[in-house]
Amino acid sequence: MITHYKNGVCYTLTASREFVREFYTENGKIIALGPQSIQSDKVVDLQGGILYPGWVDAHLHIAGYGERLTLTNLNKLTDKNLILSTIKKAFHGQPLYVQGYHDIGLTKIDLDAISSSQPILIRHADYHSATVNSVLLNRIGLTESNGILHELDAAKAVFAMPRHSNQTLTTMITNAIESLHAYGITGGHSDDLHYFNGFKDTVEAFEEALKRKPFRAHLLMHHEEVQGFIQSGRPWLDQSPYLQLGAVKIFYDGTLSSQTALMAHAYPKQSHQGELIRPPEAFENVLKTMRSHRLPVALHTIGDLALEEVSKWLKKYPPHEGQHDRIIHASFAMKATLEYLNKLPVILDIQPQFLSSDLPWGYALLPEQTELIYPWKTYQQHGLILCGGSDAPVEPPNPLKGVIAAVFRTSDHDGKTYGEDECLSIEEAIHLYTDWANIPTYKTHERGQLKPGYIADFTVFNVDFYAEPKRIYDAHVTMTIVDDQIVYLKK
Ligand SMILES: [Zn+2]
């Protein structure tokens, strides 16, 4: 089956701003660029659209995003009667999990009236609290509580809820992929294998969802799931043309918003510098174990001291020949760290949207001595490989918002630019979500460019960002193609 894609501006990403107006594919692979005398079975008229190799989100949580899309969400509701009737409607005699609740004082008494036999958990919008019914309180031994739980108690309640059925999990993943297609995303590197149904069931749910929606899923393996991976007998990396198993996710430090990211200086008005998720000896053990299994790692690293320490660990225990590790976030850095970080086989997974969401209020949380804040240009000038992601559901998985944040560094809160000398060019920002985002898949010989032999995954926009960079603010995806199949078409 030969397809002729025509009437577009199709950027190859092989040379700077090089494009063709038409090209041909056969059974999911590009066979020729430019005008050819090839007999095609099918024509895709791009109608003047701007086509790129398929865009990739290099760090997100697909099942987590799908959960947000799929489950009942109370977001924006403030009326008690409306909230209760929404919960009642969502209850079908099964354990009920509802999210996005803004606390208006519901207690176990309200929820017991909906069910006194099945557990009900209403997750608050901040994810740190929950309101639950008496069934669930009994299960976790907090019978005296009024049902409003915070932090550890809330986490206990979440943990005590029955897990999603694999059917629900598959639906959540399917819904997430459908939404990603509409954002022009053809592939994503997802961290989900520990938070839902464990390694085996979650991988199988992905396989089922990928039969329904073609997508290039690359799954990070949480270190506590590596035993499940080994027992499965699956190979590392390629499972199918749509599914890969990737590096091992390990949390190194905390977050900025909770001031638990490990910083080189104390937080303002605090005597602490953040924290490690586990003691150094325990981290070293996990890292050594992963190396013994010949696996690269993907380390959640936010603070500047965390980045410094992680660089030293990765230098001490390098990945196996031909592999590279990943550092997820790398939000803050000390200048001195860069001199040896760039000598390691490591990729930085950055989330440009964090800047737009977190600044300027983030400055008030950061130690004032922090040298480098979202220093993407500096990283790039030091020769580090950068990939772009959204961390959805933390941020919406809209790569155009990521490109805007990387290029203009404007805050969503006040519209001002922060750290102008760290702005990436529009070309660099597009690389973050296209060819560079394929480096962690070890498939750059067939993904991320328009070239004969490369896969037929494409994203088409209505605006040429090189010609009209400012129009990116109201640009949209007109068509998304995965494996030669049109998976999204704007009406
Ligand atoms: Zn994440």
Side-chain angles (χ1 to χ4, degrees):
M1 167 87 146
I2 294 179
T3 308
H4 182 193
Y5 291 84
K6 64 174 196 181
N7 296 330
V9 174
C10 310
Y11 285 105
T12 64
L13 299 187
T14 305
S16 176
R17 302 197 182 192
E18 176 188 76
F19 67 90
V20 294
R21 299 226 175 252
E22 58 191 297
F23 62 92
Y24 293 81
T25 63
E26 183 171 18
N27 301 331
K29 289 270 164 78
I30 298 169
I31 52 168
L33 300 182
Q36 311 282 340
S37 52
I38 295 175
Q39 189 65 40
S40 61
D41 306 295
K42 192 178 136 194
V43 173
V44 174
D45 187 345
L46 300 167
Q47 302 187 345
I50 313 302
L51 178 144
Y52 284 95
W55 284 41
V56 171
D57 190 320
H59 180 75
L60 81 169
H61 305 268
I62 292 175
Y65 178 57
E67 183 179 58
R68 174 167 290 193
L69 295 176
T70 310
L71 300 187
T72 302
N73 197 315
L74 298 172
N75 231 343
K76 296 190 186 96
L77 295 185
T78 50
D79 178 75
K80 183 174 176 180
N81 288 328
L82 201 55
I83 290 173
L84 283 174
S85 67
T86 307
I87 298 170
K88 231 177 251 169
K89 226 195 280 166
F91 181 70
H92 301 294
Q94 301 281 328
L96 179 65
Y97 183 106
V98 173
Q99 51 183 345
Y101 167 65
H102 291 276
D103 195 2
I104 51 117
L106 292 188
T107 67
K108 65 179 177 185
I109 297 167
D110 300 296
L111 300 181
D112 288 350
I114 295 170
S115 179
S116 56
S117 60
Q118 294 290 343
I120 298 180
L121 184 142
I122 312 297
R123 194 92 182 250
H124 295 203
D126 69 357
Y127 280 90
H128 289 259
S129 310
T131 302
V132 306
N133 69 348
S134 294
V135 178
L136 196 51
L137 287 174
N138 288 337
R139 283 193 192 174
I140 58 176
L142 293 174
T143 46
E144 301 295 299
S145 161
N146 65 357
I148 304 173
L149 306 176
H150 303 288
E151 299 298 342
L152 280 181
D153 287 342
K156 223 191 250 176
V158 171
F159 200 72
M161 285 295 284
R163 43 183 229 174
H164 296 302
S165 70
N166 245 36
Q167 202 181 351
T168 305
L169 186 58
T170 304
T171 304
M172 290 177 352
I173 295 165
T174 309
N175 291 350
I177 293 174
E178 184 172 312
S179 168
L180 291 165
H181 285 159
Y183 283 119
I185 299 291
T186 61
H189 307 179
S190 192
D191 170 26
D192 288 307
L193 294 186
H194 188 55
Y195 320 115
F196 294 92
N197 296 2
F199 178 85
K200 180 175 177 290
D201 284 3
T202 311
V203 172
E204 285 173 9
F206 265 93
E207 287 176 324
E208 198 51 42
L210 293 170
K211 282 183 204 157
R212 302 176 192 172
K213 302 269 172 198
F215 186 80
R216 312 286 173 179
H218 175 95
L219 306 182
L220 299 182
M221 300 191 287
H222 189 283
H223 68 94
E224 288 182 55
E225 300 297 330
V226 165
Q227 269 316 317
F229 161 66
I230 290 164
Q231 280 161 12
S232 76
R234 286 173 179 270
W236 183 62
L237 219 56
D238 288 354
Q239 312 298 307
S240 76
Y242 294 156
L243 187 66
Q244 290 186 313
L245 296 173
V248 176
K249 166 86 181 260
I250 309 170
F251 282 89
Y252 192 77
D253 67 343
T255 64
L256 171 64
S257 59
S258 60
Q259 293 188 315
T260 48
L262 185 67
M263 301 299 293
H265 298 91
Y267 283 101
K269 301 191 195 102
Q270 311 264 354
S271 54
H272 72 91
Q273 293 166 242
E275 58 198 52
L276 291 173
I277 296 298
R278 57 183 64 73
E281 317 77 62
F283 177 78
E284 184 171 23
N285 272 332
V286 176
L287 185 56
K288 277 162 75 175
T289 306
M290 296 313 138
R291 296 309 194 215
S292 74
H293 296 311
R294 305 185 70 85
L295 293 169
V297 294
L299 305 176
H300 165 107
T301 309
I302 291 190
D304 54 1
L305 183 57
L307 188 65
E308 168 88 6
E309 292 185 359
V310 150
S311 310
K312 288 183 175 156
W313 284 120
L314 296 181
K315 191 174 175 197
K316 187 169 178 193
Y317 299 103
H320 284 267
E321 182 72 32
Q323 295 183 341
H324 41 238
D325 295 313
R326 310 176 72 160
I327 293 178
I328 303 169
H329 305 309
S331 306
F332 313 110
M334 293 183 270
K335 287 178 189 150
T337 305
L338 304 178
E339 299 311 322
Y340 51 93
L341 183 59
N342 65 2
K343 296 185 182 66
L344 302 173
V346 72
I347 294 165
L348 306 186
D349 295 317
I350 63 166
Q351 293 73 34
Q353 286 160 270
F354 283 7
L355 180 147
S356 301
S357 296
D358 294 356
L359 296 184
W361 61 263
Y363 285 129
L365 298 178
L366 277 172
E368 53 181 278
Q369 302 94 327
T370 308
E371 288 180 340
L372 298 169
I373 297 169
Y374 304 119
W376 307 319
K377 190 73 186 180
T378 300
Y379 285 151
Q380 223 245 315
Q381 285 166 341
H382 279 77
L384 285 154
I385 299 167
L386 303 178
C387 295
S390 65
D391 208 5
V394 176
E395 298 284 342
N398 180 353
L400 292 181
K401 292 203 78 168
V403 170
I404 289 167
V407 173
F408 300 106
R409 292 181 71 99
T410 42
S411 160
D412 284 345
H413 307 288
D414 61 12
K416 288 188 187 146
T417 297
Y418 290 94
E420 206 165 346
D421 42 357
E422 294 289 354
C423 289
L424 295 182
S425 71
I426 192 102
E427 280 185 82
E428 289 162 346
I430 289 168
H431 286 304
L432 290 179
Y433 296 91
T434 52
D435 49 345
W436 296 352
N438 279 302
I439 295 172
T441 70
Y442 302 86
K443 294 267 176 204
T444 49
H445 56 287
E446 57 171 38
R447 294 187 185 183
Q449 292 178 55
L450 297 191
K451 227 181 190 180
Y454 279 58
I455 56 171
D457 290 9
F458 313 114
T459 306
V460 188
F461 297 99
N462 66 330
V463 166
D464 190 335
F465 311 126
Y466 299 145
E468 303 177 280
K470 288 278 177 188
R471 276 193 65 204
I472 194 169
Y473 284 95
D474 48 36
H476 60 253
V477 172
T478 57
M479 199 189 287
T480 308
I481 294 135
V482 179
D483 205 8
D484 253 337
Q485 304 165 58
I486 299 174
V487 292
Y488 172 77
L489 185 63
K490 187 165 174 73
K491 303 233 164 62

